[in-house]
Amino acid sequence: MIRLFARHRILLPAVSLIVLLAATFYMQPRAMSYFGINLLFNLAIPIALATLAQMMIMMVNDIDLSLGAFISLVACITATVLHDQPVLGMAILAALILAYACLGALIHWLELPAIVVTLGMSFVWAGLALTILPSPGGSAPAWLRTVMTVKPPLFPMAVVAAVLIAGLSHVLVIRSGIGTVLRGVGGNAASVGRAGWPLLRLKALAYALAGVFGVLAGMALVGLTTSADANIALRYTLLSIAGVILGGGEFVGGRVSAVGAVIGALTLTLAASFLSFLRLSPDWQIGAQGAILILVLTARLIFTRRDRTQG
């Protein structure tokens, strides 16, 4: 059992999600329904997409402290420009993805610390968001609202979308050749470079993929909330990092799990609902979420160390 949990990183976050879900159903039996599950995981899609965006950055041994501000900017553009002028809105969102790719290339070319550069960019994204939408408002495009509120026959949209997102991202990151190379950049960039791969382009690609998932997260968030705010997703920066780590990823070595990252995002989303059912004060909920994360990570560390000792 110890070796099973230690060697299959996805098992611990999956068990954590199941235990938390069972506890939630025990406390609130009415949540065990189509409508109840939909409410529990209502905001899971944008958080899962944000987590995958952060995972793309962490996969190449960087960390993005501007992700929350970036998603907020995307949300503001979606609720204003994309709603009023779809072609222009899509062009701006594409330009943001290109800007993310250029940011990754710049960090690699000048050998800058990503944590400092992205922290600085967070102020740029936040300033642009405030310029576009100084006060909360805007409106979600009708087609986006329709997509995010569709009701599949068996399971809620949040669950179906999470499964699809996890499957597609797993194929991209774990099964595809380019995903393997990108993970190799995080594991041993020098070896990848000696093999003939252009590290500058690979770093730019990793950031571009993060930009794509960040754009999708912002659009999904507006589709669910129907409006936007320049500060709507600022907490997603820390949530995305926690989701990656909770899902079995690590800060270095290119060790990530796309499916685990989505499960981590679902766990964090469910934890917020579970703490609400406990009638815990909002002032304590963030600390309680952190405690849940620490418990899971401690368990993973214990399993890993015992596996090494027994091995």
Side-chain angles (χ1 to χ4, degrees), residues 27-295:
M27 293 190 59
Q28 188 59 260
R30 286 179 295 180
M32 198 183 306
S33 64
Y34 186 101
F35 181 72
I37 293 175
N38 188 56
L39 286 179
L40 289 176
F41 294 107
N42 188 39
L43 293 176
I45 298 176
I47 294 177
L49 290 168
T51 301
L52 289 172
Q54 188 69 252
M55 185 192 74
M56 295 297 171
I57 305 296
M58 293 175 64
M59 184 169 59
V60 292
N61 290 349
D62 286 347
I63 193 168
D64 185 2
L65 295 184
S66 70
L67 185 60
F70 179 78
I71 294 174
S72 296
L73 172 59
V74 171
C76 292
I77 294 172
T78 301
T80 54
V81 183
L82 187 63
H83 178 272
D84 299 331
Q85 304 177 62
V87 176
L88 178 60
M90 286 294 184
I92 294 176
L93 294 178
L96 288 178
I97 295 174
L98 179 61
Y100 240 67
C102 293
L103 182 63
L106 183 66
I107 288 173
H108 177 78
W109 183 38
L110 299 179
E111 298 182 354
L112 300 172
I115 192 170
V116 175
V117 176
T118 55
L119 178 61
M121 286 303 300
S122 67
F123 297 104
V124 175
W125 304 136
L128 291 174
L130 284 170
T131 301
I132 295 172
L133 198 63
S135 59
S139 181
W143 62 268
L144 181 58
R145 180 62 179 163
T146 300
V147 170
M148 296 307 301
T149 56
V150 67
K151 295 181 179 180
L154 298 178
F155 299 98
M157 177 60 179
V159 175
V160 174
V163 172
L164 291 175
I165 292 169
L168 292 174
S169 57
H170 176 77
V171 172
L172 173 64
V173 175
I174 306 299
R175 295 297 182 183
S176 71
I178 192 63
T180 302
V181 174
L182 287 174
R183 285 186 289 117
V185 172
N188 193 328
S191 295
V192 173
R194 285 195 297 267
W197 290 92
L199 293 179
L200 181 67
R201 294 181 185 179
L202 290 173
K203 204 68 170 287
L205 177 60
Y207 274 76
L209 290 172
V212 170
F213 281 110
V215 166
L216 293 176
M219 294 176 67
L221 185 57
V222 172
L224 291 170
T225 60
T226 71
S227 61
D229 177 8
N231 301 315
I232 193 171
L234 292 185
R235 67 191 185 96
Y236 278 26
T237 298
L238 296 181
L239 280 177
S240 63
I241 297 172
V244 175
I245 300 302
L246 187 61
E250 297 186 9
F251 285 108
V252 294
R255 298 173 182 173
V256 295
S257 170
V259 176
V262 174
I263 293 176
L266 293 176
T267 304
L268 291 172
T269 305
L270 183 59
S273 300
F274 176 72
L275 295 173
S276 297
F277 289 147
L278 288 177
R279 297 182 180 179
L280 194 65
S281 169
D283 296 332
W284 290 92
Q285 287 188 17
I286 296 178
Q289 284 181 314
I292 293 173
L293 177 62
I294 291 172
L295 286 174

